[in-house]
Amino acid sequence: MKFLGTQAYIAPEDLTIAVNAAVTLERPLLVKGEPGTGKTELARQVAAGLDLPMIEWHVKSTTRAQQGLYEYDAVSRLRDSQLGEEKVHDVGNYIRRGKLWEAFTAGEKVVLLIDEIDKADIEFPNDLLQELDRMEFHVYETGETIRAEVRPIVIITSNNEKELPDAFLRRCFFHYIQFPDMETMRKIVEVHHPGIKDALLTTALTQFYELREQAGLKKKPSTSEVLDWLKLLLAEDMSAEDLKAGGANALPKLHGALLKNEQDVHLFERLAFMARRQR
């Protein structure tokens, strides 16, 4: 079982090595990188590339680790007992299975995505240490132990919003997705926009990387944003000459796809103004 990338996902060699190392070690793969660099999509493509089912657990700020295991609906049981329901005698009727329970009892190898783990409370990773390490947990209400029949491939993503505990990091294989260089980005664009004219792509990517490297930028545009921008340029039937028309220091055409806050827009407006004054 080896991941080599897919037709829809350009995976650099170091990333495929990381995925396959985590699979071999049977440890969770912790993936970090800028937002929009394809961390979540990686899990989906690993599942597609290895022809495995996928289970997704998207973490929010209010998510608790227990929800990934199971939840006991005591309120429903109390209500049913008041109504004289027969099912109230079986506590299992009020156990709601979480995503880890699903992955552990799937009966086959699956890819389990725990997406944006850093959104949750700082104790969230610690609360999953033993479960992810031993691939089992205890259900106190029923007295049963849920154990992984086949160990899932666990991929955990983080946007680095919070530091993760050392004890959690020790149990993971870590990989940081570097932002693609221009040559890799050309391959990514070709997957999403096949047949794009070379002159347009060269000019657009040159402007994009110059924009990313601008000092003082609050939020650098990501891979997903350059793909959206190129989609708009193609929809408007723009040429390389159209992109160059504004000059080197002007805001890029349709810049709303790339710049996502007023501070960055004002930065480029000031640069354009200063460039005009120096002429």
Side-chain angles (χ1 to χ4, degrees), residues 109-260:
K109 189 173 282 293
V110 301
V111 174
L112 171 63
L113 167 66
I114 304 177
D115 197 29
E116 298 189 324
I117 194 172
D118 52 325
K119 277 188 175 180
D121 184 83
I122 190 62
E123 290 305 317
F124 182 93
N126 281 330
D127 292 342
L128 290 177
L129 281 179
Q130 297 302 322
E131 289 77 8
L132 289 176
D133 195 29
R134 297 180 181 176
M135 291 290 169
E136 65 177 39
F137 61 89
H138 188 69
V139 183
Y140 296 98
E141 289 77 6
T142 63
E144 62 184 320
T145 296
I146 305 302
R147 186 175 292 108
E149 301 164 15
V150 182
R151 290 181 75 97
I153 297 172
V154 182
I155 297 179
I156 303 170
T157 72
S158 168
N159 286 326
N160 236 3
E161 292 180 9
K162 294 190 187 84
E163 286 295 323
L164 298 174
D166 288 345
F168 180 80
L169 295 174
R170 281 199 301 273
R171 288 166 168 82
C172 298
F173 190 92
F174 172 76
H175 183 76
Y176 184 88
I177 297 182
Q178 298 288 346
F179 194 82
D181 58 25
M182 191 178 293
E183 192 55 40
T184 304
M185 186 65 80
R186 293 180 78 93
K187 295 177 183 176
I188 294 171
V189 171
E190 184 60 34
V191 169
H192 293 268
H193 304 297
I196 187 171
K197 292 179 181 178
D198 187 66
L200 174 62
L201 180 57
T202 299
T203 302
L205 290 184
T206 299
Q207 289 189 1
F208 171 71
Y209 279 96
E210 286 175 351
L211 185 150
R212 269 187 60 87
E213 292 164 9
Q214 177 60 54
L217 205 61
K218 185 175 181 181
K219 182 195 177 300
K220 294 181 178 182
S222 66
T223 305
S224 61
E225 287 157 342
V226 73
L227 292 174
D228 286 345
W229 184 50
L230 287 166
K231 184 177 181 179
L232 288 174
L233 297 181
L234 291 169
E236 294 294 324
D237 197 24
M238 288 195 179
S239 65
E241 289 70 28
D242 294 328
L243 287 184
K244 294 175 183 176
N249 292 304
L251 278 164
K253 304 285 186 182
L254 300 166
H255 62 268
L258 298 175
L259 300 175
K260 299 301 177 75

Side-chain angles (χ1 to χ4, degrees), residues 13 19 65 69 87-88 97 99 105 108 136 138 152 156 172 180 183 225 227-228 240 275 278:
E13 185 181 7
V19 170
L69 308 179
K87 67 177 184 178
V88 75
R97 298 183 178 193
K99 298 297 184 181
T105 58
E108 60 181 327
E136 65 177 39
H138 188 69
I156 303 170
C172 298
E183 192 55 40
E225 287 157 342
L227 292 174
D228 286 345
Q278 291 172 2

